[in-house]
Amino acid sequence: MYNDQERKGKGGKVLPGSKNRTQKGNPSVVSGLLLIIQAVSTTVAYDSKALVIDGKRRILQSGSVHYPRTTPEVWPEIIRKAKEGGLDVIETYVFWNYHEPVRGEYYFGGRFDLVRFVKEVHEAGLFVHLRIGPYACAEWNYGGFPVWLHFIPGIQFRTMNNLFQREMERFLAKIVNLMKDENLFASQGGPIILAQVENEYGNVEWAYGVAGELYVKWAAETAVGLNTTVPWVMCAQEDAPDPIINTCNGFYCDRFSPNSPFKPKMWTENYVGWFLAFGYAVPFRPVEDLAFAVARFFETGGTFQNYYMYFGGTNFGKTAGGPLVATSYDYDAPINEYGFINQPKWGHMRYLHVAIKQCEEHLVNANATQISLGQNLEAHVYYKSSNDCAAFLANYGSSTDATVNFRGNSYLLPAWSVSILPDCVNVIFNTAKVISQRTLDDVFAWNITMHDFSMPSSSWSWYKEKVGIWGNNSFEASGLLEQINTTKDTSDFLWYTKSINMNAKTAQNQTKEVGLLIRSLGHAAVLFVNKRLVGFGYGNHDDASFILSVKVKLHSGSNTVDVLSMMIGLQNYGPWFDVQGAGLYSVILTDLTDAEEDLSSMQWTYQVGLEGEFLGLETLPLANSSIWTKGSAIPVNESLIWYKTVFLPPQGKGPVSLNLSGMGKGQAWVNGQSIGRYWSSYLSPSSGCSEYCDYRGTYDASKCLKKCGQPAQTLYHIPRSWLQPGENLLVIHEELGGDPSTISVVTQDGQLICGRVSEADLPPADTWEPGVGFASKTPLLQLSCETGWHIASVRFASFGTPEGNCGALRAGSCHADASLIVHKDCIGRQACSILVSTDKLGDPCPNVLKSLAVEAICRG
């Protein structure tokens, strides 16, 4: 149970959400390769085919949902949508740095109430895969490690180092015991069926040599010794020792094989998209390719698959990793950053889950018979008996559709697709044929579904930061200090200040033009000379280092050089990432008559953080302080300035965000809570994007991009639960320069939804019943709104040969207006279905293949 120290935060204050939890139950000991577990409630085991739960092999669909990337009020809704999407398991990391911000002082409250989250999943009837690590990566600050760990003398992370091993084992035991105390392991009647130790260590193990190999064995032994009564996994770890299951991470895992014939084929990270970084275009993954990857995995013997992410959420505060990971962690996931269903990804994958589930008994009880059907064409057949089988037909070519013959029947296979036949005869799903609706959230939908509320210019107050040293806690040191070791991540900012005397180089009352050449390990820096802004340098996610070279005029006498070095998230991935540095490492004065002058090893003055941070300008107690200036003319395009205003919460229950497109770089707070870092002035490259991304062929994170030449992010999520009735405090810290009068609060009060289904499409997979077939062979166009919303209007409905895309549909050469039919069947309903047939819709052009296309608006 917690002791008093564990229940208290800094200064002995009891932390919210801390509870006195007592240990219950008597978990039994893991033993044997098969890992059969005697349990009070649920047994969890594995064999060569699958995880075995209560004696039954299971096909399991899983999805990553990280509890701190949204608020507890939203957890039940996210979990419900995941279950409705066909998931069996929720997977999450555990974030050490926020659970133990100070060594020995624990926090499990608010967004970090891990026990509450696991119980919410349990209440929904889903399982949990708990990835304790404690290294997480996850584009999370410092990979989830607490920064204090770095300052233990002699420590080395993720290797055979006694200091690190002791701390890692202590935290692993802390989390395992916390779960045991709450009866959350499956053997105790809880939802946790899997646990993970370490994370993707196999990708970096080479850098640690023999010590790395020994560390893997130690980590495995330590995990098993904690007696969780559920199997442990190591992802991306080919040398994971028995009984640890090694699993696959990647965009495709159909060719993966575990390192032992006794272990099942499992996929712990299937990337549904990719993370966002400042200065980069927005990546996305076509749903046809994602479905193809999943189908191929199960086709080739996989039985557990996890979407990374199923819901990505938001990197609030300074939780984003680095360098330069953006605040949005949307990830193009099936549930978007704001908790709304992302269509067609959610719906298409749901139908795939249904189709795979129809094959479950075949997949877990038989080995596949592989049959070549031609070049880049094959079938995998799973027989329960000679006349009872399920089949997957695959065309893994990236360019040519094909017609194949299988068991006497002919089947059309689009390129880069898989068809699923649960009875070896009837196709109930093809990965390339998307019949799910589409939701539109881009510029086409903005004026229809979004409302923004500007803030009156008269409402703003401001506070101008001092440039350079601002307090009596500054200090001097010889040479340029590394930033992380200096700030200990207590602030993103470190001032480097030096005085340069030009009397020997410049005549009295004269100026001389010189060059300043500054080299930095990252991540960004603002340069002031004589308190005037003269330069800004920055790196990018792939290389945070940069060189800042400027020409400046120095006058005779003393001149001040102030460099504000900025962090944008601590490194979270790579070998020895924990010792990668930041900040200035070279400052040279050039263009002098005699020679260049290296200032790097000279005496410098340092100040950690900003004065505004020290004062707490973002907090509620200072909202009415006289320190703020108020006037009719707001200062704009100024660096190092704080702005403050109040706003009323938008009506309704739709998502709320802050539009910061007119600002430069900084951080924003609402009612004292940080909604994250912003960097609207950092534009992505102008090329590399296309309106259409061909799903066919191997996907990687740079294949499909959008929003080239634009900021990575301009809208910043404000959780509804952070807003209060009446006035809400907004504080902005602008580092480079922007115009606060352009800031607006944005709310979504509607959805633009579209559907397009042809007469040749399959009915939805969830209308198939074994031994019966489809309830009706007529295709269905299905529309649905978010929970609590309804279809309010129909913008377009055409049966025939409609053209265009969602948001810009138009009638084709063959057209029958279907608006009245759609209106009658759908208006006022949360969801509706329309048969796509001439009997229902008429026949405007006989002997022509027709489609029904509908565009509608949902409102709350």
Side-chain angles (χ1 to χ4, degrees):
M1 67 181 70
Y2 286 115
N3 59 37
D4 287 340
Q5 187 181 27
E6 290 172 328
R7 294 180 58 238
K8 295 176 181 178
K10 296 180 181 179
K13 181 180 178 182
V14 176
L15 299 173
S18 297
K19 299 176 181 176
N20 198 10
R21 314 189 198 276
T22 56
Q23 185 168 349
K24 302 173 185 176
N26 182 26
S28 57
V29 177
V30 177
S31 63
L33 272 181
L34 185 62
L35 235 97
I36 297 177
I37 299 167
Q38 304 299 321
V40 174
S41 180
T42 300
T43 60
V44 184
Y46 68 77
D47 60 17
S48 62
K49 291 294 293 181
L51 290 179
V52 182
I53 299 176
D54 281 340
K56 183 178 180 180
R57 291 172 176 161
R58 293 288 303 273
I59 293 288
L60 295 172
Q61 305 288 355
S62 175
S64 291
V65 177
H66 297 159
Y67 50 100
R69 282 178 158 142
T70 186
T71 57
E73 294 79 9
V74 178
W75 290 344
E77 181 78 357
I78 300 297
I79 294 164
R80 178 186 65 80
K81 289 175 177 176
K83 183 176 182 179
E84 291 177 358
L87 297 195
D88 307 289
V89 182
I90 297 296
E91 181 180 281
T92 186
Y93 286 118
V94 177
F95 300 93
W96 187 2
N97 53 354
Y98 279 80
H99 287 308
E100 193 177 6
V102 177
R103 190 181 187 279
E105 297 181 9
Y106 295 94
Y107 178 71
F108 292 94
R111 300 189 344 261
F112 295 91
D113 193 340
L114 175 60
V115 167
R116 178 178 171 183
F117 178 76
V118 173
K119 287 183 175 180
E120 293 280 10
V121 177
H122 192 203
E123 188 173 330
L126 299 179
F127 296 122
V128 169
H129 176 197
L130 194 64
R131 307 177 78 184
I132 306 174
Y135 167 65
C137 182
E139 290 72 58
W140 189 265
N141 195 50
Y142 214 38
F145 285 137
V147 174
W148 57 258
L149 200 67
H150 174 76
F151 293 97
I152 296 176
I155 199 167
Q156 290 184 317
F157 288 13
R158 305 176 80 193
T159 188
M160 292 299 288
N161 175 276
N162 288 334
L163 297 168
F164 176 77
Q165 291 169 277
R166 181 185 65 199
E167 297 299 328
M168 174 173 164
E169 184 173 8
R170 185 177 59 82
F171 185 74
L172 284 172
K174 173 70 184 178
I175 298 301
V176 168
N177 290 333
L178 180 61
M179 298 300 104
K180 287 180 179 179
D181 290 348
E182 295 288 342
N183 290 334
L184 294 176
F185 285 106
S187 61
Q188 301 172 297
I192 301 172
I193 60 168
L194 283 172
Q196 178 177 299
V197 65
E198 251 296 337
N199 185 63
E200 295 185 322
Y201 189 73
N203 296 346
V204 299
E205 185 176 340
W206 58 269
Y208 298 84
V210 174
E213 298 174 15
L214 295 173
Y215 168 70
V216 171
K217 294 177 182 178
W218 170 85
E221 292 170 357
T222 300
V224 172
L226 293 170
N227 298 330
T228 61
T229 70
V230 300
W232 285 88
V233 305
M234 282 182 163
C235 65
Q237 194 67 54
E238 291 182 0
D239 59 347
D242 298 338
I244 307 292
I245 306 169
N246 67 301
T247 65
C248 182
N249 288 359
F251 291 112
Y252 306 93
C253 282
D254 49 293
R255 297 182 181 180
F256 169 77
S257 295
N259 64 11
S260 165
F262 301 104
K263 299 176 183 178
K265 179 175 179 176
M266 297 174 62
W267 190 0
T268 38
E269 291 189 17
N270 175 7
Y271 306 118
V272 300
W274 201 241
F275 66 88
L276 185 62
F278 291 123
Y280 287 64
V282 178
F284 65 96
R285 187 178 187 184
V287 68
E288 298 92 336
D289 176 68
L290 179 61
F292 173 77
V294 173
R296 286 288 283 168
F297 177 72
F298 287 98
E299 174 188 356
T300 55
T303 52
F304 178 102
Q305 181 267 150
N306 177 78
Y307 298 102
Y308 190 98
M309 302 289 297
Y310 198 78
F311 163 77
T314 306
N315 292 317
F316 296 115
K318 298 197 300 177
T319 59
L324 281 77
V325 172
T327 295
S328 172
Y329 203 66
D330 182 87
Y331 227 93
D332 193 28
I335 302 173
N336 74 15
E337 178 182 3
Y338 298 90
F340 274 23
I341 287 172
N342 176 19
Q343 297 280 31
K345 189 163 280 186
W346 184 91
H348 193 56
M349 303 314 294
R350 176 180 175 272
Y351 289 147
L352 173 58
H353 302 155
V354 169
I356 292 171
K357 191 65 75 174
Q358 294 286 6
C359 306
E360 182 173 27
E361 291 302 313
H362 299 84
L363 292 171
V364 299
N365 291 305
N367 293 319
T369 299
Q370 185 175 354
I371 303 170
S372 175
L373 301 176
Q375 185 177 4
N376 297 328
L377 302 164
E378 64 183 9
H380 284 80
V381 187
Y382 290 82
Y383 289 94
K384 283 180 67 177
S385 64
S386 59
N387 60 356
D388 184 0
C389 65
F392 293 73
L393 310 183
N395 179 352
Y396 53 92
S398 60
S399 58
T400 306
D401 297 349
T403 300
V404 301
N405 186 279
F406 175 69
R407 292 168 63 94
N409 293 316
S410 183
Y411 299 90
L412 174 65
L413 287 176
W416 206 253
S417 79
V418 176
S419 286
I420 299 176
L421 295 67
D423 58 0
C424 274
V425 177
N426 293 286
V427 175
I428 70 167
F429 183 86
N430 177 272
T431 59
K433 295 183 177 179
V434 181
I435 63 170
S436 299
Q437 74 175 44
R438 181 177 300 273
T439 51
L440 198 64
D441 59 359
D442 61 13
V443 67
F444 290 107
W446 181 273
N447 293 330
I448 300 168
T449 63
M450 309 292 268
H451 280 89
D452 56 350
F453 304 88
S454 298
M455 296 160 194
S457 297
S458 59
S459 69
W460 288 97
S461 302
W462 60 92
Y463 178 80
K464 190 78 172 78
E465 276 276 345
K466 294 180 176 65
V467 173
I469 304 305
W470 51 264
N472 58 13
N473 56 349
S474 63
F475 61 96
E476 292 186 357
S478 179
L480 296 171
L481 300 181
E482 192 278 324
Q483 184 165 350
I484 301 170
N485 285 324
T486 306
T487 66
K488 297 178 171 57
D489 200 35
T490 57
S491 171
D492 282 348
F493 307 100
L494 177 63
W495 281 107
Y496 294 74
T497 296
K498 179 159 188 59
S499 177
I500 301 175
N501 193 299
M502 293 293 290
N503 280 340
K505 305 176 181 68
T506 308
Q508 188 173 3
N509 299 324
Q510 297 296 308
T511 62
K512 180 177 179 61
E513 186 175 74
V514 300
L516 268 173
L517 182 64
I518 298 173
R519 291 182 172 91
S520 173
L521 296 171
H523 302 159
V526 182
L527 170 63
F528 297 85
V529 173
N530 294 323
K531 309 302 179 183
R532 185 175 63 87
L533 175 64
V534 296
F536 175 55
Y538 52 93
N540 57 54
H541 172 72
D542 293 301
D543 181 7
S545 67
F546 62 92
I547 298 174
L548 175 59
S549 180
V550 297
K551 297 283 189 182
V552 296
K553 288 186 177 180
L554 301 183
H555 55 69
S556 58
S558 180
N559 297 261
T560 59
V561 173
D562 297 293
V563 184
L564 182 62
S565 182
M566 305 168 172
M567 296 286 298
I568 305 104
L570 295 186
Q571 185 77 31
N572 59 260
Y573 180 76
W576 304 105
F577 78 86
D578 51 295
V579 294
Q580 292 189 26
L584 310 189
Y585 67 91
S586 174
V587 179
I588 297 174
L589 201 60
T590 64
D591 297 336
L592 300 172
T593 53
D594 46 0
E596 64 181 28
E597 185 176 2
D598 191 344
L599 309 179
S600 308
S601 59
M602 295 183 179
Q603 196 80 355
W604 288 76
T605 304
Y606 295 90
Q607 180 95 60
V608 173
L610 300 175
E611 183 185 25
E613 290 180 303
F614 179 78
L615 295 172
L617 292 182
E618 78 281 5
T619 62
L620 289 168
L622 264 73
N624 297 315
S625 169
S626 60
I627 198 170
W628 294 97
T629 301
K630 192 174 180 65
S632 57
I634 316 169
V636 299
N637 299 321
E638 291 198 16
S639 62
L640 301 187
I641 188 169
W642 297 73
Y643 296 105
K644 174 186 74 75
T645 190
V646 293
F647 65 95
L648 298 176
Q651 294 182 347
K653 297 182 179 180
V656 180
S657 59
L658 196 66
N659 185 345
L660 295 172
S661 57
M663 302 302 287
K665 176 183 181 298
Q667 191 173 173
W669 294 262
V670 172
N671 293 329
Q673 305 234 50
S674 172
I675 63 172
R677 300 183 183 97
Y678 67 87
W679 197 345
S680 305
S681 61
Y682 197 171
L683 305 184
S684 66
S686 58
S687 61
C689 296
S690 60
E691 290 187 16
Y692 171 75
C693 182
D694 191 347
Y695 69 87
R696 299 174 302 176
T698 303
Y699 178 83
D700 61 51
S702 61
K703 179 180 179 181
C704 301
L705 303 172
K706 58 185 179 181
K707 297 190 177 179
C708 283
Q710 301 178 46
Q713 181 179 358
T714 57
L715 297 179
Y716 290 80
H717 182 204
I718 305 173
R720 277 274 181 185
S721 60
W722 290 6
L723 298 175
Q724 58 192 24
E727 292 185 341
N728 292 265
L729 175 67
L730 170 63
V731 176
I732 303 287
H733 176 234
E734 174 56 50
E735 300 163 16
L736 301 180
D739 184 352
S741 68
T742 63
I743 297 174
S744 61
V745 175
V746 180
T747 187
Q748 183 175 351
D749 64 357
Q751 283 181 299
L752 179 58
I753 61 174
C754 305
R756 189 199 297 258
V757 175
S758 86
E759 295 174 294
D761 282 326
L762 292 167
D766 59 358
T767 64
W768 164 271
E769 293 185 23
V772 177
F774 285 113
S776 167
K777 292 188 177 181
T778 305
L780 275 177
L781 186 148
Q782 297 178 319
L783 297 174
S784 64
C785 302
E786 284 291 324
T787 302
W789 290 11
H790 64 272
I791 299 171
S793 61
V794 178
R795 284 168 47 91
F796 178 88
S798 174
F799 183 57
T801 56
E803 300 172 350
N805 298 315
C806 186
L809 291 171
R810 59 185 182 276
S813 57
C814 170
H815 163 67
D817 189 343
S819 298
L820 290 177
I821 295 171
V822 177
H823 192 280
K824 178 175 179 292
D825 289 353
C826 298
I827 292 296
R829 299 181 179 179
Q830 191 264 333
C832 64
S833 301
I834 303 162
L835 290 169
V836 182
S837 70
T838 54
D839 291 342
K840 172 77 172 179
L841 302 167
D843 193 349
C845 43
N847 303 318
V848 173
L849 180 63
K850 293 171 283 293
S851 297
L852 173 63
V854 177
E855 196 171 283
I857 300 293
C858 296
R859 298 287 185 197

